[in-house]
Amino acid sequence: MKIDRLIGIIAILQQNKKVTAPYLAEKFEVSRRTINRDIEDICRAGIPIVTTQGSNGGISLMEGFSLDTTVFTQQELAAILTGLKTLDSVSYSPKLELLAEKLGGNPAVSLSDHMLIDLASFYKDDLADKIDKIRGAIGERHCVSFHYYYNKGEADKLVEPYLIVFKWSDWYVFGFCKERKDFRLYKLRRLWQLRVTEETYEERSIPEEKKHFGSQMTDDYIITAIYDPSVKYRLVEEYGPESFTVMEDGRLYTEWGFTDPEEAVYRFLGFGDKVTVKGPPEMVEKVRAAIQKMVEKYETSTGN
């Protein structure tokens, strides 16, 4: 974007006494004519730039002029850089070093701190590509199409993208589904064959209730269960140390709310023989039926 380039030029001029137009053109991958226009725009903004001709000529800030880059405290700058490092973990276009450069070599800026947040996962390449494409589509107001996998099937989607959301330890795109005529949240890990289409859209007003992601996901389906002490660390990790009651025999009693009974079944199965579901009766039956299907499948497999 042009504004990024203008800020970048100013930052370079602050750090270097003099640079040439060809250097800036190569640095920002634009023509010399574009750089000349940028210099004119910067001058019109009130920042004095001097250009000189000849073998030792070039572009520089007027002697004695300097922009104030100390508007942030050291702690504030550290927080900004940490945030950028976090976003860089899922980006093809890292911004951390560029910002440090734009801050003009402020001694408070350090590219190393004591916090590291990596929002990527084992599928970082796919994730970064999806985020990059969706961000571009949002900026240009282009619809995106993709193949989406649900827990009960799959479908092709055409969506007007509005936001990229990181929530519940995962990445989503929030947009208006052309088929459903409503705003939806789509998990990026279930979204494949992503394509930015030529179809454009006019920005819609997002209803306030739609901005509260997950508000429709109630957890009022209460299930009671008893866990073996050996999986206490998992319960603490997922729900905290106050999420269970230690029984006299050391086992762990829980009463948790779930949104989807079917998803709850798979969660309990993930604990194997380390959990016993106690109620409600229909959930006990669902878990029993799921286990029976697994047993039958393996018995059939052995028989073949």
Side-chain angles (χ1 to χ4, degrees):
M1 295 175 63
K2 182 175 181 178
I3 187 63
D4 289 335
R5 190 171 66 247
L6 295 179
I7 295 174
I9 292 173
I10 295 170
I12 290 175
L13 293 178
Q14 281 233 119
Q15 297 177 65
N16 300 274
K17 290 185 176 181
K18 186 181 296 183
V19 296
T20 65
Y23 169 82
L24 293 175
E26 181 179 357
K27 176 80 172 177
F28 295 100
E29 299 181 344
V30 295
S31 67
R32 290 181 59 179
R33 178 174 296 181
T34 297
I35 293 297
N36 291 334
R37 287 198 295 265
D38 289 343
I39 297 300
E40 293 176 0
D41 290 337
I42 293 173
C43 289
R44 279 195 289 269
I47 298 175
I49 293 180
V50 178
T51 59
T52 54
Q53 305 297 322
S55 58
N56 293 320
I59 303 169
S60 61
L61 289 173
M62 180 181 291
E63 186 174 353
F65 178 83
S66 178
L67 288 174
D68 183 8
T69 59
T70 61
V71 292
F72 296 110
T73 66
Q74 183 170 356
Q75 290 77 16
E76 290 170 336
L77 286 173
I80 292 171
L81 294 177
T82 298
L84 278 177
K85 284 202 296 187
T86 300
L87 293 177
D88 280 355
S89 68
V90 289
S91 174
Y92 278 146
S93 305
K95 299 291 191 300
L96 177 61
E97 293 187 7
L98 179 60
L99 175 64
E101 185 177 281
K102 288 179 180 179
L103 289 171
N106 190 312
V109 177
S110 173
L111 295 185
S112 62
D113 59 38
H114 306 293
M115 184 178 293
L116 175 63
I117 304 174
D118 191 343
L119 295 179
S121 64
F122 63 89
Y123 74 115
K124 176 181 178 178
D125 288 342
D126 290 316
L127 176 61
D129 182 61
K130 290 173 183 176
I131 290 177
D132 189 56
K133 286 181 179 178
I134 295 172
R135 287 182 64 186
I138 294 173
E140 299 295 330
R141 290 286 181 257
H142 277 264
C143 294
V144 295
S145 65
F146 50 83
H147 193 70
Y148 197 70
Y149 294 85
Y150 296 90
N151 58 341
K152 295 182 179 180
E154 53 190 271
D156 291 318
K157 293 292 179 181
L158 181 63
V159 171
E160 300 172 1
Y162 283 84
L163 293 170
I164 297 173
V165 180
F166 183 77
K167 195 173 179 66
W168 309 297
S169 302
D170 224 323
W171 288 94
Y172 300 79
V173 56
F174 175 74
F176 186 84
C177 177
K178 304 284 281 188
E179 179 186 4
R180 299 289 185 178
K181 306 297 182 186
D182 196 8
F183 287 94
R184 291 286 193 274
L185 204 58
Y186 300 94
K187 184 178 290 189
L188 295 194
R189 285 198 295 172
R190 296 182 181 178
L191 177 163
W192 295 93
Q193 300 172 31
L194 174 65
R195 185 175 65 87
V196 179
T197 72
E198 294 298 321
E199 182 177 340
T200 58
Y201 63 93
E202 294 293 328
E203 186 173 359
R204 301 174 188 268
S205 177
I206 304 174
E208 279 301 317
E209 65 271 15
K210 295 294 183 180
K211 297 178 183 179
H212 302 292
F213 306 119
S215 59
Q216 75 283 4
M217 298 174 64
T218 60
D219 56 357
D220 50 6
Y221 187 82
I222 305 300
I223 302 174
T224 59
I226 296 177
Y227 293 81
D228 187 87
S230 63
V231 296
K232 179 188 290 188
Y233 72 99
R234 289 183 57 182
L235 306 189
V236 171
E237 177 182 334
E238 295 184 35
Y239 294 96
E242 305 299 325
S243 63
F244 53 83
T245 300
V246 180
M247 303 171 65
E248 291 186 2
D249 60 4
R251 293 183 299 164
L252 313 174
Y253 176 82
T254 65
E255 288 187 8
W256 293 340
F258 291 84
T259 299
D260 185 349
E262 301 301 327
E263 290 290 335
V265 170
Y266 291 114
R267 185 193 179 286
F268 288 122
L269 291 179
F271 281 89
D273 63 351
K274 303 301 182 183
V275 63
T276 302
V277 177
K278 305 300 290 185
E282 63 268 21
M283 176 53 64
V284 175
E285 182 55 37
K286 284 179 180 292
V287 174
R288 181 185 291 114
I291 294 173
Q292 184 59 40
K293 283 185 179 180
M294 294 173 63
V295 171
E296 291 174 356
K297 181 175 291 186
Y298 280 99
E299 288 178 343
T300 301
S301 175
T302 303
N304 290 339

mmCIF file of all heavy atoms in Angstrom, residues 242-262:
data_model
loop_
_atom_site.group_PDB
_atom_site.id
_atom_site.type_symbol
_atom_site.label_atom_id
_atom_site.label_comp_id
_atom_site.label_asym_id
_atom_site.label_seq_id
_atom_site.Cartn_x
_atom_site.Cartn_y
_atom_site.Cartn_z
ATOM 1 N N GLU A 242 -10.481 -26.306 39.510
ATOM 2 C CA GLU A 242 -11.745 -26.253 40.243
ATOM 3 C C GLU A 242 -12.877 -26.953 39.487
ATOM 4 O O GLU A 242 -14.038 -26.891 39.898
ATOM 5 C CB GLU A 242 -12.137 -24.785 40.488
ATOM 6 C CG GLU A 242 -11.079 -23.953 41.192
ATOM 7 C CD GLU A 242 -10.755 -24.496 42.574
ATOM 8 O OE1 GLU A 242 -11.690 -24.997 43.232
ATOM 9 O OE2 GLU A 242 -9.578 -24.411 42.988
ATOM 10 N N SER A 243 -12.549 -27.615 38.396
ATOM 11 C CA SER A 243 -13.584 -28.185 37.524
ATOM 12 C C SER A 243 -14.056 -29.570 37.955
ATOM 13 O O SER A 243 -14.968 -30.121 37.340
ATOM 14 C CB SER A 243 -13.061 -28.263 36.088
ATOM 15 O OG SER A 243 -11.944 -29.135 35.998
ATOM 16 N N PHE A 244 -13.447 -30.134 38.989
ATOM 17 C CA PHE A 244 -13.819 -31.487 39.426
ATOM 18 C C PHE A 244 -13.769 -31.575 40.945
ATOM 19 O O PHE A 244 -13.177 -30.733 41.624
ATOM 20 C CB PHE A 244 -12.891 -32.538 38.807
ATOM 21 C CG PHE A 244 -11.429 -32.258 39.030
ATOM 22 C CD1 PHE A 244 -10.800 -32.622 40.221
ATOM 23 C CD2 PHE A 244 -10.676 -31.620 38.050
ATOM 24 C CE1 PHE A 244 -9.467 -32.352 40.431
ATOM 25 C CE2 PHE A 244 -9.340 -31.342 38.257
ATOM 26 C CZ PHE A 244 -8.725 -31.713 39.440
ATOM 27 N N THR A 245 -14.411 -32.619 41.447
ATOM 28 C CA THR A 245 -14.393 -32.894 42.885
ATOM 29 C C THR A 245 -13.686 -34.229 43.116
ATOM 30 O O THR A 245 -14.001 -35.224 42.443
ATOM 31 C CB THR A 245 -15.826 -32.992 43.443
ATOM 32 O OG1 THR A 245 -16.504 -31.744 43.211
ATOM 33 C CG2 THR A 245 -15.813 -33.287 44.936
ATOM 34 N N VAL A 246 -12.734 -34.241 44.022
ATOM 35 C CA VAL A 246 -11.996 -35.477 44.318
ATOM 36 C C VAL A 246 -12.842 -36.322 45.273
ATOM 37 O O VAL A 246 -13.200 -35.883 46.377
ATOM 38 C CB VAL A 246 -10.628 -35.178 44.943
ATOM 39 C CG1 VAL A 246 -9.887 -36.484 45.243
ATOM 40 C CG2 VAL A 246 -9.798 -34.293 44.015
ATOM 41 N N MET A 247 -13.161 -37.551 44.857
ATOM 42 C CA MET A 247 -13.971 -38.452 45.663
ATOM 43 C C MET A 247 -13.093 -39.156 46.719
ATOM 44 O O MET A 247 -11.858 -39.059 46.677
ATOM 45 C CB MET A 247 -14.663 -39.464 44.749
ATOM 46 C CG MET A 247 -15.529 -38.806 43.672
ATOM 47 S SD MET A 247 -16.144 -39.982 42.427
ATOM 48 C CE MET A 247 -17.213 -41.014 43.424
ATOM 49 N N GLU A 248 -13.721 -39.861 47.656
ATOM 50 C CA GLU A 248 -12.976 -40.535 48.732
ATOM 51 C C GLU A 248 -11.974 -41.542 48.201
ATOM 52 O O GLU A 248 -10.905 -41.745 48.779
ATOM 53 C CB GLU A 248 -13.954 -41.232 49.692
ATOM 54 C CG GLU A 248 -14.785 -40.260 50.519
ATOM 55 C CD GLU A 248 -15.636 -40.993 51.549
ATOM 56 O OE1 GLU A 248 -15.532 -42.244 51.621
ATOM 57 O OE2 GLU A 248 -16.396 -40.325 52.275
ATOM 58 N N ASP A 249 -12.316 -42.205 47.090
ATOM 59 C CA ASP A 249 -11.395 -43.206 46.528
ATOM 60 C C ASP A 249 -10.369 -42.588 45.576
ATOM 61 O O ASP A 249 -9.606 -43.305 44.931
ATOM 62 C CB ASP A 249 -12.184 -44.306 45.812
ATOM 63 C CG ASP A 249 -13.040 -43.763 44.664
ATOM 64 O OD1 ASP A 249 -12.960 -42.539 44.382
ATOM 65 O OD2 ASP A 249 -13.784 -44.557 44.048
ATOM 66 N N GLY A 250 -10.342 -41.236 45.446
ATOM 67 C CA GLY A 250 -9.352 -40.567 44.612
ATOM 68 C C GLY A 250 -9.819 -40.261 43.211
ATOM 69 O O GLY A 250 -9.165 -39.496 42.484
ATOM 70 N N ARG A 251 -10.934 -40.861 42.791
ATOM 71 C CA ARG A 251 -11.445 -40.579 41.447
ATOM 72 C C ARG A 251 -12.024 -39.166 41.383
ATOM 73 O O ARG A 251 -12.316 -38.551 42.412
ATOM 74 C CB ARG A 251 -12.489 -41.621 41.046
ATOM 75 C CG ARG A 251 -11.926 -43.029 40.859
ATOM 76 C CD ARG A 251 -13.006 -44.003 40.385
ATOM 77 N NE ARG A 251 -14.101 -44.103 41.358
ATOM 78 C CZ ARG A 251 -15.292 -44.614 41.084
ATOM 79 N NH1 ARG A 251 -15.565 -45.080 39.869
ATOM 80 N NH2 ARG A 251 -16.234 -44.683 42.033
ATOM 81 N N LEU A 252 -12.209 -38.672 40.159
ATOM 82 C CA LEU A 252 -12.586 -37.280 39.954
ATOM 83 C C LEU A 252 -14.005 -37.185 39.393
ATOM 84 O O LEU A 252 -14.289 -37.716 38.316
ATOM 85 C CB LEU A 252 -11.599 -36.607 38.987
ATOM 86 C CG LEU A 252 -10.114 -36.861 39.305
ATOM 87 C CD1 LEU A 252 -9.234 -36.284 38.212
ATOM 88 C CD2 LEU A 252 -9.749 -36.272 40.658
ATOM 89 N N TYR A 253 -14.872 -36.503 40.120
ATOM 90 C CA TYR A 253 -16.272 -36.373 39.722
ATOM 91 C C TYR A 253 -16.484 -35.026 39.029
ATOM 92 O O TYR A 253 -16.028 -33.988 39.511
ATOM 93 C CB TYR A 253 -17.166 -36.462 40.958
ATOM 94 C CG TYR A 253 -18.639 -36.241 40.664
ATOM 95 C CD1 TYR A 253 -19.438 -37.267 40.188
ATOM 96 C CD2 TYR A 253 -19.212 -34.982 40.865
ATOM 97 C CE1 TYR A 253 -20.784 -37.055 39.921
ATOM 98 C CE2 TYR A 253 -20.557 -34.765 40.604
ATOM 99 C CZ TYR A 253 -21.338 -35.797 40.125
ATOM 100 O OH TYR A 253 -22.664 -35.591 39.857
ATOM 101 N N THR A 254 -17.188 -35.048 37.883
ATOM 102 C CA THR A 254 -17.430 -33.811 37.136
ATOM 103 C C THR A 254 -18.893 -33.683 36.734
ATOM 104 O O THR A 254 -19.583 -34.680 36.511
ATOM 105 C CB THR A 254 -16.579 -33.756 35.841
ATOM 106 O OG1 THR A 254 -17.007 -34.799 34.947
ATOM 107 C CG2 THR A 254 -15.102 -33.931 36.136
ATOM 108 N N GLU A 255 -19.328 -32.442 36.629
ATOM 109 C CA GLU A 255 -20.626 -32.102 36.066
ATOM 110 C C GLU A 255 -20.388 -30.941 35.111
ATOM 111 O O GLU A 255 -20.279 -29.786 35.528
ATOM 112 C CB GLU A 255 -21.627 -31.688 37.159
ATOM 113 C CG GLU A 255 -22.117 -32.822 38.016
ATOM 114 C CD GLU A 255 -23.224 -32.377 38.973
ATOM 115 O OE1 GLU A 255 -23.692 -31.220 38.828
ATOM 116 O OE2 GLU A 255 -23.607 -33.161 39.853
ATOM 117 N N TRP A 256 -20.281 -31.242 33.824
ATOM 118 C CA TRP A 256 -19.948 -30.228 32.834
ATOM 119 C C TRP A 256 -21.073 -30.046 31.832
ATOM 120 O O TRP A 256 -21.797 -30.992 31.493
ATOM 121 C CB TRP A 256 -18.678 -30.622 32.073
ATOM 122 C CG TRP A 256 -17.440 -30.619 32.919
ATOM 123 C CD1 TRP A 256 -17.239 -29.983 34.107
ATOM 124 C CD2 TRP A 256 -16.218 -31.299 32.632
ATOM 125 N NE1 TRP A 256 -15.981 -30.198 34.580
ATOM 126 C CE2 TRP A 256 -15.325 -31.006 33.686
ATOM 127 C CE3 TRP A 256 -15.782 -32.096 31.587
ATOM 128 C CZ2 TRP A 256 -14.025 -31.498 33.725
ATOM 129 C CZ3 TRP A 256 -14.485 -32.592 31.617
ATOM 130 C CH2 TRP A 256 -13.620 -32.299 32.680
ATOM 131 N N GLY A 257 -21.178 -28.819 31.331
ATOM 132 C CA GLY A 257 -22.149 -28.531 30.289
ATOM 133 C C GLY A 257 -21.516 -28.662 28.912
ATOM 134 O O GLY A 257 -20.364 -28.268 28.703
ATOM 135 N N PHE A 258 -22.261 -29.232 27.970
ATOM 136 C CA PHE A 258 -21.795 -29.398 26.599
ATOM 137 C C PHE A 258 -22.806 -28.787 25.638
ATOM 138 O O PHE A 258 -24.002 -28.705 25.925
ATOM 139 C CB PHE A 258 -21.597 -30.882 26.257
ATOM 140 C CG PHE A 258 -20.438 -31.510 26.991
ATOM 141 C CD1 PHE A 258 -20.597 -32.006 28.280
ATOM 142 C CD2 PHE A 258 -19.194 -31.607 26.394
ATOM 143 C CE1 PHE A 258 -19.538 -32.583 28.959
ATOM 144 C CE2 PHE A 258 -18.120 -32.185 27.060
ATOM 145 C CZ PHE A 258 -18.298 -32.677 28.344
ATOM 146 N N THR A 259 -22.320 -28.382 24.471
ATOM 147 C CA THR A 259 -23.189 -27.804 23.445
ATOM 148 C C THR A 259 -23.819 -28.887 22.592
ATOM 149 O O THR A 259 -25.018 -28.876 22.327
ATOM 150 C CB THR A 259 -22.384 -26.853 22.534
ATOM 151 O OG1 THR A 259 -21.846 -25.801 23.331
ATOM 152 C CG2 THR A 259 -23.270 -26.266 21.453
ATOM 153 N N ASP A 260 -23.001 -29.838 22.179
ATOM 154 C CA ASP A 260 -23.446 -30.873 21.250
ATOM 155 C C ASP A 260 -23.231 -32.250 21.864
ATOM 156 O O ASP A 260 -22.089 -32.661 22.103
ATOM 157 C CB ASP A 260 -22.661 -30.744 19.935
ATOM 158 C CG ASP A 260 -23.140 -31.709 18.874
ATOM 159 O OD1 ASP A 260 -23.927 -32.607 19.185
ATOM 160 O OD2 ASP A 260 -22.710 -31.560 17.710
ATOM 161 N N PRO A 261 -24.287 -33.009 22.137
ATOM 162 C CA PRO A 261 -24.152 -34.349 22.719
ATOM 163 C C PRO A 261 -23.286 -35.277 21.871
ATOM 164 O O PRO A 261 -22.534 -36.099 22.427
ATOM 165 C CB PRO A 261 -25.595 -34.855 22.792
ATOM 166 C CG PRO A 261 -26.421 -33.607 22.877
ATOM 167 C CD PRO A 261 -25.707 -32.615 22.006
ATOM 168 N N GLU A 262 -23.390 -35.151 20.550
ATOM 169 C CA GLU A 262 -22.607 -36.032 19.679
ATOM 170 C C GLU A 262 -21.116 -35.755 19.824
ATOM 171 O O GLU A 262 -20.295 -36.677 19.880
ATOM 172 C CB GLU A 262 -23.043 -35.851 18.218
ATOM 173 C CG GLU A 262 -24.512 -36.142 17.960
ATOM 174 C CD GLU A 262 -24.892 -37.571 18.334
ATOM 175 O OE1 GLU A 262 -24.043 -38.472 18.198
ATOM 176 O OE2 GLU A 262 -26.045 -37.780 18.774
#
